[in-house]
Amino acid sequence: MAQPDNKKFFENLTGAGKAIAVLTSGGDAQGMNAAVRAVVRMGIYVGAKVYFVHEGYQGMVDGGDNIKEAKWESVSSMLQVGGTVIGSARCKDFRTHEGRLKAAHNLVKRGITNLCVIGGDGSLTGANLFREEWSGLLAELVQQNLIDEEAAQKYSALHIVGMVGSIDNDFCGTDMTIGTDSALHRIIEVVDAIMTTAQSHQRTFVLEVMGRHCGYLALVSALACGADWVLIPEMPPEDGWEEKMCQKLSAKRAGMKRLNIIIVAEGAIDRNNQPITSEHVKNLVVQCLGFDTRVTILGHVQRGGTPSAFDRILASRMGVEAVLALLETTANTPACVVSLCGNQSVRLPLMECVQMTQQVQKAMDEKRFEEAVRLRGRSFENNLRTYKLLAHRKPESELPHSNYNVAVMNVGAPAAGMNAAVRSAVRVGISEGHKMFAVSDGFEGFYKGQIKEVKWADVGGWTGQGGSLLGTKRTLPAKYIEKIAEQMRKYNINALLVIGGFEALECLLQLNDARSHYEEFCIPLCMLPATISNNVPGTDLSIGADTALNAIVETCDRIKQSASGTKHRVFIIETMGGYCGYLASVGGLAAGADAAYIYEEPFDIRDLQSNVEHLTEKMKTSIQRGLILRNENSNENYTTDFIYQLYSEEGRGVFDCRKNVLGHMQQGGAPSPFDRNFGTKIAAKAMQWITKKLNENYRQGRVFANTEDSACLLGMRRRAMVFQPVVQLKDETDFVHRIPKEQWWLKLRPLMKILAKYKTSYDVSDSGQLEHVALNRPRESEVLAAI
């Protein structure tokens, strides 16, 4: 029997006759504009009327010109703008019953019964209260003859969907809030700049970052820059922390380190709930150690600037999901919030999230700090655990002694974040009691014997370095397998961690095949995906891809801006990626491209003609600039030059064209905060897996780990980090084109097309399930491995 087709498509949902209002409230956050743009365009696409509410709830209360219908062109050129162009305000009037009555009247006058609120927990709580009071407010309006009974019946239910816009990432139920990644970018840019001046003068810097009630920014920036000490409100330091901190700073200087970085969240407290200020920390260091110490308070710099690629994609996905939720809602559906779990968009009951967020503050007030960290969620817990593991070295006497030698190496092309992964692997390995060895220049260096032991201090300062400090080559091991086995024997290597792209997968498969002839390879083998192309099977994301995306998006922004004030212009931009269209597609979504040509989605001359006609039509309205991305290997005949010439000829008299090949600038640069954090956490988890495998399979002085699951790739799949045997990944891989057979991001391509005003099909089968906030209570064994 044929299986029933349970697929659900967006085009079968209609917004005809519905009116959606979108507002931003509370503190601004980068990416809010991308969310507003997605809501407006998605709403118009399905036939609904969409309204801007300017100045947040204040605009809803005041009415008039504050509530305006939005057009498709209203949101052009706002994707790359920070803050919120429709304004935000903290509104006292909306907290009163009279204020909410006025707001209800203003919405009913325009037939608005669907509200999309982008803000923090206070804004979302206010929206939920408004929804609960709605029927009572309408009854009052009827009583006061401000609306009639027919209107009260017609607009009897108010539907609310929330998106969390907050740089603090202080909302429970979502891994990342809109604006957090961009704020981390601002912090890391400052830290990287400060490190150079601190090193010159042998200074200590105390950096104060935002986070009055949440230490996420402080914690992740400390993890991403390798800070010496971090102070956050959820986990105050133990009594006597002042002395421990000074001892650590002093030890670092004694170890020839020329600078110290201390990161303090603005809401940092001690165990007695007393504030710890950056000035207090500075005075401590000066009095106890006499170090030249400076304080830098980042303040509102963290809120400003253009949104990162991650925030643009997150906000665009959430905006689309919010419109979907509003189309599917019924009178009985509770107000929901669109969240991110792993790599998945989910809908959660708004008040469940708000209540858990409030529980965190209550736990901190009552000095239940372990509980506060747990309530923040698994992501926060993992970050804290990883930071403690990497930042604080245990004395030799406290370290276990395993007698195992573990080698770590890079393979393939360089990717930003590789060095952070190596640093993390080395330090976690040392903490587990292993001897850590670094292999230079990939397998070419391996067979030549370029192997040396690395200590804790050898990888200090590696987190923020781009490229590959170990050196990396594309050489595969098969040709030199005997020499590599000889080196394995010589250095008694008991486990191998390979960090790299598609070549690393091929290497692991070759080493796995060699096990039948060489017992040296019967050891735990683990691979971490690190490639800007994101073309490795078994993982949704790779180390380095986020940095490359940011490079593409920043360049596209500049290129588009170069045409401002000039005549209509279309830019044809070529991206890297081999045969994998990830960079072109996701970069296109983040940069607001009109089309992205990729190998995975074949195109012909008719498609090119259709795109030219579509752009020509758009250029006749107010839109001045067009952006076309092309993956380098998307089609051997329709080259970048061909597409440029075609667009130039067909657009003659309407627009002119320019082309750019981005090239290796996508591969260089300092790693983004996401890649630093991802590389650090994934490597820590890999090392813990290696330790577990070694302890399980150790037999009489050698490891005979000949099982399938002892040669694995660690990747992110949807919501979880998963170890997958490389042998099993063979069937999922197109080895000719070096791409996975199935790629999750292809589902995002219709979003780019819809937001660029193309009619297209969009599979939304994964959407629509209202879930509940799950508070993970992992078993003790899972706690150790949950990094």
Side-chain angles (χ1 to χ4, degrees), residues 22 31-40 79 116 118 163 178 311-312 315-316 318-320:
V22 59
M32 278 183 166
N33 289 325
V36 170
R37 172 180 177 267
V39 170
V40 168
L79 186 62
C116 184
I118 307 164
M163 282 183 273
I178 296 167
D311 272 330
R312 297 184 200 194
S316 298
M318 284 186 168
V320 168

Side-chain angles (χ1 to χ4, degrees), residues 55 99 109 159 177 190 195 221 264 274 338 385 387 390-391 399 418 455 496 515 523 527 536 552 575 641 729 752:
E55 311 308 333
K109 277 196 290 189
H159 307 297
T177 58
V190 171
M195 277 182 161
S221 52
V264 183
Q274 294 304 305
V338 179
R385 198 177 300 118
Y387 176 76
L390 299 176
L399 289 175
M418 275 183 163
K455 302 288 188 183
L496 183 62
R515 283 174 162 181
I523 59 173
M527 174 199 162
V536 179
I552 291 166
T575 66
D641 282 334
L729 293 175
M752 184 187 70

Side-chain angles (χ1 to χ4, degrees), residues 149-465:
E149 280 286 357
E150 189 184 340
Q153 286 296 318
K154 189 177 178 182
Y155 307 121
S156 59
L158 178 68
H159 307 297
I160 303 270
V161 172
M163 282 183 273
V164 191
S166 164
I167 67 162
D168 293 337
N169 203 27
D170 57 354
F171 194 80
C172 294
T174 186
D175 286 351
M176 286 286 265
T177 58
I178 296 167
T180 304
D181 187 67
S182 301
L184 285 171
H185 272 259
R186 299 298 92 79
I187 295 167
I188 293 304
E189 283 162 16
V190 171
V191 174
D192 285 353
I194 275 176
M195 277 182 161
T196 57
T197 181
Q199 200 148 22
S200 302
H201 297 276
Q202 296 196 52
R203 281 190 177 134
T204 296
F205 269 86
V206 181
L207 267 79
E208 185 181 300
V209 301
M210 282 185 166
R212 197 173 303 145
H213 304 294
C214 178
Y216 184 89
L217 289 180
L219 177 58
V220 175
S221 52
L223 198 56
C225 73
D228 299 303
W229 202 267
V230 65
L231 294 158
I232 59 172
E234 291 88 348
M235 185 52 73
E238 300 289 341
D239 292 341
W241 65 272
E242 297 93 339
E243 192 181 332
K244 285 180 186 170
M245 181 185 76
C246 290
Q247 281 173 356
K248 186 180 179 192
L249 299 182
S250 184
K252 282 285 175 83
R253 287 294 176 91
M256 304 306 289
K257 190 177 177 186
R258 292 177 61 87
L259 76 154
N260 301 111
I261 300 286
I262 301 164
I263 297 182
V264 183
E266 63 175 324
I269 51 173
D270 64 17
R271 290 267 154 183
N272 298 312
N273 281 357
Q274 294 304 305
I276 300 174
T277 65
S278 47
E279 200 60 38
H280 173 62
V281 175
K282 174 203 163 180
N283 293 337
L284 263 173
V285 176
V286 172
Q287 286 164 17
C288 296
L289 301 171
F291 290 172
D292 185 0
T293 307
R294 298 284 190 276
V295 172
T296 300
I297 299 173
L298 270 64
H300 284 76
V301 165
Q302 295 157 87
R303 284 195 191 280
T306 188
S308 65
F310 182 96
D311 272 330
R312 297 184 200 194
I313 296 156
L314 174 67
S316 298
R317 288 177 71 182
M318 284 186 168
V320 168
E321 187 71 24
V323 173
L324 268 174
L326 287 170
L327 292 181
E328 294 179 338
T329 193
T330 64
N332 300 320
T333 309
C336 77
V337 64
V338 179
S339 298
L340 181 77
C341 183
N343 193 28
Q344 197 81 14
S345 289
V346 293
R347 299 178 199 170
L348 298 169
L350 189 151
M351 287 317 292
E352 281 187 24
C353 297
V354 168
Q355 282 157 11
M356 189 175 287
T357 303
Q358 290 168 348
Q359 280 179 37
V360 178
Q361 189 57 49
K362 191 179 176 208
M364 287 194 285
D365 292 342
E366 294 172 1
K367 302 182 185 179
R368 292 181 287 112
F369 299 113
E370 298 280 351
E371 179 79 357
V373 168
R374 195 172 60 82
L375 287 166
R376 277 274 178 242
R378 191 164 54 184
S379 173
F380 190 93
E381 271 188 294
N382 292 344
N383 285 323
L384 183 59
R385 198 177 300 118
T386 309
Y387 176 76
K388 285 180 176 175
L389 204 57
L390 299 176
H392 304 294
R393 187 186 180 183
K394 290 179 183 173
E396 289 286 337
S397 57
E398 289 179 29
L399 289 175
H401 291 284
S402 70
N403 297 320
Y404 297 128
N405 295 343
V406 181
V408 59
M409 64 193 299
N410 295 336
V411 171
M418 275 183 163
N419 298 321
V422 171
R423 168 185 175 267
S424 175
V426 167
R427 291 194 169 181
V428 172
I430 290 168
S431 297
E432 304 268 308
H434 310 317
K435 257 191 186 178
M436 296 301 296
F437 289 82
V439 182
S440 300
D441 297 334
F443 281 100
E444 195 171 304
F446 208 136
Y447 87 81
K448 290 177 180 174
Q450 294 173 6
I451 303 164
K452 64 173 184 178
E453 188 181 349
V454 275
K455 302 288 188 183
W456 185 280
D458 294 338
V459 289
W462 280 34
T463 317
Q465 301 279 337

Side-chain angles (χ1 to χ4, degrees), residues 2-48:
Q3 288 292 316
D5 190 358
N6 294 323
K7 285 195 172 180
K8 183 172 64 172
F9 289 94
F10 189 75
E11 54 269 34
N12 299 331
L13 301 168
T14 178
K18 293 191 176 184
I20 300 170
V22 59
L23 66 97
T24 53
S25 176
D28 67 309
Q30 307 96 320
M32 278 183 166
N33 289 325
V36 170
R37 172 180 177 267
V39 170
V40 168
R41 292 198 165 174
M42 219 40 151
I44 292 171
Y45 182 87
V46 295

